[in-house]
Amino acid sequence: MTKKIRTGQNLLKTARGLFADGLYAECISLLSSENSPVEDIHHMNLLVKALISQKEFDKAEHYHNVATLIDPNNEDVIWNDIRLKIMSEKYQEARMQAEQTLNVYPKNFDGRLLYANCLRRLGEVEECLSQVKIILTYEPNHPEAIAQLGVLELMEGNKISALNRFRTVFTIKPQLRSIWPLLVNLAVELNDIKGAVSSLNQIMKQETNTKLWIKQFFECLDKLKDPLEAIDALLEVKKYHPHDFNITFALALEFKKLNQKDKVKRYLYEALKIDNHSADLMQEIALIELQEDQVDDAIRHFERALSLRADFPRALNNLGNAYGIKHDMHNALKYYEAAIKCDPKYAQAYNNIGLTYLDRNFSKQNTKKAIENFEFA
């Protein structure tokens, strides 16, 4: 029995650590495992909090009902009940229950923060601010309370001050995921792109699934308009995600802007080892091969790109260029025309058709058709 209790205590300690780090899914998985005590009130309450944080409200409600049956007067059971009311938008009920509970447990600052949250949602901003200040009087570095201040400032249009609050929170508790979107979006809105990239770097160090942030990360890198800064940021993220295809491929594209062919090739072929099903990657490899006069290899990679994405006008146009280098003007024309079918406004393809009709080696040489296509270019 003693061993079982110790196992339960160790599991709870680990689960609390996961919750504190914002790893709610991992916390839920651990607390739902066979080793977790089925009817332990502390495990149950933490499981409910984690499920609420993951927005799995139906499951949270189920386990909360179980916890209520075990001990309806348990403090954490009561606060979870308030959390669920807030999630159900029953703000007035949550507020009244929070007030009553704070009369009994006035030093529960997480509970007081829930109360402040209710007040904010009910539009009672001044009283919300008052409650946050009470928390900060006792715990000046309470991250969630500082974040609440930031939200209040944001509501009043004080974006710079709000951003500074969120950055303070990020320094104190970088794993507080609820502020991550606010932190990045505000920085972008205020045109602090370097700040946004720095925050995204820190976020992606912690985030196992880079897909959640990669699009915004790349948008910020584009706004930097400096390949060297973009490369520094990408290399920093790659330390923590060495096998991430998007990061690796992006490095190749940034080095391409600097005309550093060796590094372009290095990261292109590294990306190929990670994922050989990217049409864009196949095209970039083919373009390198064209530069190195490896025309047959380039054709093979352009064709591979098109097998992955048939409606890829740039690859069709480049495949036409490759056949043009081989003086196979019939195939060149075929792929230029296919590019225009995909994109009727593709000026470069019209220009290439015009040049093809002017080529002396082309049996269907036609100056009139060349001029007609140049007019669209």
Side-chain angles (χ1 to χ4, degrees), residues 68-128:
T68 303
L69 289 173
I70 297 170
D71 184 357
N73 298 313
N74 178 275
E75 181 183 359
D76 288 329
V77 169
I78 297 169
W79 288 119
N80 277 341
D81 197 53
I82 293 167
R83 286 185 178 92
L84 285 167
K85 282 185 171 72
I86 293 172
M87 293 302 105
S88 300
E89 299 184 3
K90 298 176 181 177
Y91 302 130
Q92 196 60 52
E93 288 182 43
R95 174 202 177 154
M96 292 173 63
Q97 190 176 2
E99 284 177 348
Q100 293 169 2
T101 309
L102 282 172
N103 287 332
V104 182
Y105 305 106
K107 293 292 182 69
N108 188 317
F109 297 126
D110 289 341
R112 191 170 291 278
L113 197 62
L114 280 176
Y115 177 48
N117 195 9
C118 288
L119 294 167
R120 177 172 60 81
R121 290 169 185 270
L122 288 166
E124 298 183 35
V125 176
E126 289 301 319
E127 183 56 30
C128 173

Side-chain angles (χ1 to χ4, degrees), residues 22 50 60 62 77 83 100 126 137 177 182 184 223-224 250 270 286 294 296 307 328 337-339 345 360 363-365:
H62 167 75
V77 169
R83 286 185 178 92
Q100 293 169 2
E126 289 301 319
T137 299
R177 293 167 183 250
L182 292 166
V184 175
K223 289 177 182 177
L224 282 177
E270 188 177 328
Q294 299 171 13
D296 290 334
S307 73
D328 183 346
E337 289 176 340
K345 295 181 179 180
R360 293 179 180 178
S363 60
K364 296 182 179 179
Q365 188 179 15

Side-chain angles (χ1 to χ4, degrees), residues 35-82:
N35 295 323
S36 182
V38 179
E39 293 189 352
D40 181 89
I41 192 72
H42 303 296
H43 287 69
M44 200 68 67
N45 284 329
L46 183 57
L47 178 58
V48 172
K49 279 181 69 176
L51 287 165
I52 291 171
S53 298
Q54 280 289 89
K55 296 181 170 55
E56 296 185 40
F57 302 132
D58 289 341
K59 287 183 180 179
E61 188 82 48
H62 167 75
Y63 287 109
H64 175 62
N65 290 336
V66 174
T68 303
L69 289 173
I70 297 170
D71 184 357
N73 298 313
N74 178 275
E75 181 183 359
D76 288 329
V77 169
I78 297 169
W79 288 119
N80 277 341
D81 197 53
I82 293 167

Side-chain angles (χ1 to χ4, degrees), residues 258-275:
L258 298 173
N259 295 315
Q260 295 188 23
K261 191 192 289 187
D262 288 345
K263 288 186 177 178
V264 174
K265 289 173 67 175
R266 169 187 164 183
Y267 287 109
L268 285 179
Y269 286 106
E270 188 177 328
L272 185 63
K273 289 179 182 177
I274 299 169
D275 183 357

